[in-house]
Amino acid sequence: MQMLSRNPAAAYRRVELDARIEASSAADLTRICLEEAMAALLHAHTAAERGSLAVREPLVRAQTIMVWLAGSVAPEHPLHASLKAFYGGLASQIAANFLQADTAEIARIRNDIRDLLEAAG
């Protein structure tokens, strides 16, 4: 029998995230996704500062979240086009860091997401 995770902290974090998702509304789910993208970008930023090769995985996670958000904006949402463009643009900017991570760019992307979360209340 294989263990669920070799990292107990990661397993607990995953269970907590699953519980938050299960109990969330659509608006809450968007907030959770944005928070998770910010956390992944922080992880990537920290890894890049240390010169670690573990930068790509959190960048891919953040980019995947942004692509999903861009594709899931409700067509009837009044900001549909703007949100799609915003999320898609962030996904592209994150992907641009796959080969050579730029800590200043990663921090700027993270700040853009934080600004959106703050504006949403």
Side-chain angles (χ1 to χ4, degrees):
M1 179 171 166
Q2 234 180 352
M3 291 176 44
L4 292 175
S5 177
R6 295 187 190 282
N7 181 342
Y12 286 118
R13 185 173 179 277
R14 180 70 191 166
V15 168
E16 178 189 7
L17 177 59
D18 288 348
R20 282 184 70 199
I21 290 170
E22 188 68 30
S24 69
S25 67
D28 291 336
L29 185 56
T30 299
R31 176 172 287 282
I32 290 167
C33 288
L34 292 170
E35 289 170 353
E36 287 297 312
M38 282 183 53
L41 290 168
L42 178 60
H43 184 75
H45 186 271
T46 302
E49 280 184 325
R50 293 180 180 156
S52 171
L53 297 176
V55 175
R56 186 171 168 83
E57 184 179 331
L59 286 175
V60 168
R61 178 171 167 73
Q63 191 233 14
T64 301
I65 291 168
M66 288 299 126
V67 168
W68 183 85
L69 285 171
S72 67
V73 178
E76 66 275 1
H77 192 288
L79 298 174
H80 173 80
S82 297
L83 286 173
K84 241 181 122 102
F86 179 75
Y87 295 143
L90 290 179
S92 295
Q93 292 168 29
I94 293 167
N97 284 275
F98 285 173
L99 294 179
Q100 181 64 40
D102 179 342
T103 56
E105 179 71 6
I106 293 169
R108 189 195 55 72
I109 295 166
R110 195 165 178 272
N111 288 336
D112 287 348
I113 295 170
R114 181 180 23 249
D115 290 346
L116 178 62
L117 281 168
E118 287 175 1

